[in-house]
Amino acid sequence: MAVSSSRQPGSSGVSDLGTFRNDVEMMGGQVAVTAHPRGEADTPSARVRLPDTEAEAWARALLGRRWSEYGYYLRNTHGLWEHAARVVVLLDRQAQPRPEPADFHFAGVPLHSGQVTVRALDPATAGGPATLRDPPFG
């Protein structure tokens, strides 16, 4: 299994998606985790949906402990993008993570298409990618 990921800090402005303290300008840093069978090209037909715990562990490894504490896990429930797991962290102008306000509208975050589930990262994945099917360098 080959796992691909990307880290996109400050990838989108989110200040208008909720009421932030002192009208702080906010941005959303996003990590996307995808997988496909080792040796195959990353094409739509080859993509594999990783288990949530594994996808979260990879995202935590990329984000680091501090940002992961504020991470929100987003996953399309069906459609072309259901194979991809995304974690969004809300960041202020100094790239410090901030909790979501009670009125934050996750549906405004660019998530491609289809219905998306959103939840905080699972504390059980905090130890890193211990549930990997194939070690990344093995």
Side-chain angles (χ1 to χ4, degrees):
M1 188 70 54
V3 176
S4 303
S5 60
S6 62
R7 182 175 169 178
Q8 304 160 349
S11 59
S12 61
V14 297
S15 295
D16 59 339
L17 300 179
T19 307
F20 292 94
R21 193 172 51 128
N22 300 327
D23 294 324
V24 173
E25 185 178 332
M26 298 292 292
M27 55 191 156
Q30 187 172 186
V31 168
V33 178
T34 61
H36 57 88
R38 193 179 300 259
E40 289 188 32
D42 185 10
T43 62
S45 63
R47 292 180 182 145
V48 175
R49 180 185 169 106
L50 288 175
D52 289 340
T53 54
E54 185 174 347
E56 283 188 52
W58 279 110
R60 281 181 178 277
L62 288 167
L63 289 170
R65 181 176 289 150
R66 175 95 171 109
W67 281 19
S68 292
E69 291 174 7
Y70 294 89
Y72 299 93
Y73 186 77
L74 297 89
R75 192 119 199 206
N76 291 66
T77 55
H78 62 279
L80 180 63
W81 292 99
E82 81 174 309
H83 70 282
R86 289 179 300 277
V87 174
V88 171
V89 179
L90 304 178
L91 304 166
D92 65 18
R93 290 180 116 181
Q94 289 75 42
Q96 294 302 307
R98 299 288 177 228
E100 57 149 321
D103 65 347
F104 190 75
H105 184 66
F106 276 101
V109 177
L111 302 171
H112 306 294
S113 63
Q115 185 175 358
V116 177
T117 59
V118 179
R119 62 175 171 72
L121 284 177
D122 183 350
T125 63
T131 60
L132 300 178
R133 294 186 219 176
D134 290 324
F137 306 107

